[in-house]
Amino acid sequence: MKLQATGSAPAGHAEAAIHDDFRNAVLAGLAARPRAIPAKFLYDAEGSRLFDAITRLDDYYPTRTELGILEACAPEIARLAGPGAVLVEFGSGSSTKIRLLLDALEEPAAYLPIDISGEHLLRACRALARDYPALTVQPVVGDFTRSLSLPPLDRGRHVLGFFPGSTIGNFTPEEAGQFLGQAALTLGPGASFVLGVDLVKPAHILRAAYDDAKGVTAAFNLNLLRRINRELGGTFDLARFAHKIVWNEALDRIEMHLESLADQTVSVAGTSFAFAAGETIHTENSYKYRLDAFTGLAFSAGWRPLAHWTDEQALFSVHFLRRD
Ligand code: SAH
Ligand code: AVI
């Protein structure tokens, strides 16, 4: 097993930085109008577990659809990437999808998964290192929207970035463009980048996926309040907030909110926040793209779109980009 404890910063240091960022974002986000907390904070250990449960729901089409596309296009990705590649994954979660690429690629050299959910990341990497004993696995606990110190990439090898799950859809298009530009710098000249991007589709499919019949997405959203209570001394009563989704057709995005069910006052880290009944905290955007809009965005950020694949119903897409 070659699981290397890396990231130039020790994991404890990264966790402390994430905690400070969480505190500042929650206090600022609850004071703002409209109230909003960045979606990256949905992922503590329990949030990652609940997200995994979402991916197994019949209502949540993105995971199984993307896995189907990746299974079909993995040989082509392997051909485009060539042998001995170094893989860098953004928001790797349980590191499930990377297995399809690892199985198809010729002698991948190393795997650097980056995730903000540290405990979950390290557990996933232990399992992966057991199953791929020849692979060097170097987990990096951190926030990929901040400047990250990655272990040095072997520039003699082809670098292949991987950003599946349509996590890029949790950025605004402007932020997505900035992320793609930054990733081009991080991955370096000649690098390739494989991304999963969810597509615009009829509203009823989206509503079922983000307000599933079993209530798992509701639990995922409400877990943010439980995290605030535990980590920031919050006093949220989870029974007095409800999961709410909005399909914002003008902006092609699903919004997740937590709606106050009553007039109430909540305290976080010693600061009080008054909520009126019906007022919401905006907790996530999930943008859906049209194919040409996404390839245009990637091109503007310095990437050449070389190929893309979709499923038969055009629910989801996988893109292969290259930079000069
Ligand atoms: N790639 C997996 C998981 C997607 S869920 C899949 O396709 O199924 C989104 C993942 O990105 C979570 O594991 C979450 O912890 C991570 N994540 C979200 N925002 C992040 C950020 N700013 N920095 C690092 N990781 C982040
Ligand atoms: C990780 N991300 C792309 C998921 C999505 O679909 O936007 C997170 C999620 N939110 C609710 N369900 C799943």
Side-chain angles (χ1 to χ4, degrees), residues 62-141:
T63 306
R64 64 171 175 279
T65 309
E66 186 181 29
L67 281 168
I69 299 170
L70 283 171
E71 236 168 85
C73 70
E76 179 67 358
I77 290 176
R79 193 187 63 73
L80 287 165
V86 170
L87 309 179
V88 179
E89 181 170 356
F90 299 89
S92 49
S94 289
S95 286
T96 305
K97 293 168 185 167
I98 196 68
R99 290 169 181 254
L100 293 175
L101 298 191
L102 290 171
D103 292 343
L105 287 163
E106 193 182 330
E107 292 185 27
Y111 173 54
L112 281 73
I114 305 163
D115 207 289
I116 199 167
S117 189
E119 193 184 317
H120 193 82
L121 168 69
L122 299 178
R123 194 172 327 114
C125 285
R126 281 193 291 274
L128 196 79
R130 265 196 308 274
D131 295 344
Y132 294 85
L135 185 73
T136 297
V137 180
Q138 298 179 289
V140 178
V141 179

Side-chain angles (χ1 to χ4, degrees), residues 53-66:
I54 290 173
T55 65
R56 293 189 288 270
L57 294 169
D58 287 346
D59 283 335
Y60 193 72
Y61 64 86
T63 306
R64 64 171 175 279
T65 309
E66 186 181 29

Side-chain angles (χ1 to χ4, degrees), residues 42-43 51 54 60 62 164-170 198 209-210 217 220 256 284-288:
L42 291 164
Y43 302 91
F51 175 75
I54 290 173
Y60 193 72
S166 202
T167 303
I168 195 160
N170 297 137
D198 201 8
Y210 288 86
T217 311
F220 173 66
M256 279 205 320
E284 187 185 65
N285 288 317
S286 197
Y287 281 82
K288 309 304 167 189

Side-chain angles (χ1 to χ4, degrees), residues 6 11-12 20 30 51 59 69 77 89 91 103 106 112 114 126 150 170 174 186 206-207 232 244 271 292 298 311 323:
T6 54
D20 286 353
L30 292 180
F51 175 75
D59 283 335
I69 299 170
I77 290 176
E89 181 170 356
D103 292 343
E106 193 182 330
L112 281 73
I114 305 163
R126 281 193 291 274
L150 292 182
N170 297 137
E174 192 190 353
T186 304
L206 292 165
R207 284 186 204 288
L232 305 178
K244 177 180 174 183
T271 304
D292 54 350
D311 56 294
R323 67 154 286 195

Side-chain angles (χ1 to χ4, degrees), residues 152-279:
L153 298 177
D154 180 349
R155 295 289 171 197
R157 294 186 175 274
H158 188 74
V159 176
L160 175 63
F162 188 42
F163 195 23
S166 202
T167 303
I168 195 160
N170 297 137
F171 293 135
T172 63
E174 192 190 353
E175 290 164 344
Q178 285 161 5
F179 171 84
L180 286 165
Q182 186 54 48
L185 298 176
T186 304
L187 300 175
S192 302
F193 202 6
V194 172
L195 294 101
V197 180
D198 201 8
L199 300 175
V200 173
K201 59 184 56 63
H204 71 275
I205 302 177
L206 292 165
R207 284 186 204 288
Y210 288 86
D211 197 5
D212 66 274
K214 292 188 172 154
V216 184
T217 311
F220 173 66
N221 196 7
L222 282 159
N223 179 57
L224 179 65
L225 302 183
R226 192 174 286 118
R227 181 179 186 188
I228 294 172
N229 286 349
R230 189 184 60 251
E231 293 187 23
L232 305 178
T235 61
F236 280 102
D237 176 353
L238 271 65
R240 304 182 91 197
F241 283 84
H243 171 64
K244 177 180 174 183
I245 59 150
V246 174
W247 168 235
N248 186 329
E249 200 174 353
L251 296 177
D252 288 338
R253 74 184 192 199
I254 281 277
E255 299 172 4
M256 279 205 320
H257 296 257
L258 288 163
E259 180 177 18
S260 176
L261 297 176
D263 293 344
Q264 55 184 317
T265 299
V266 175
S267 142
V268 177
T271 304
S272 292
F273 298 94
F275 286 85
E279 214 180 320

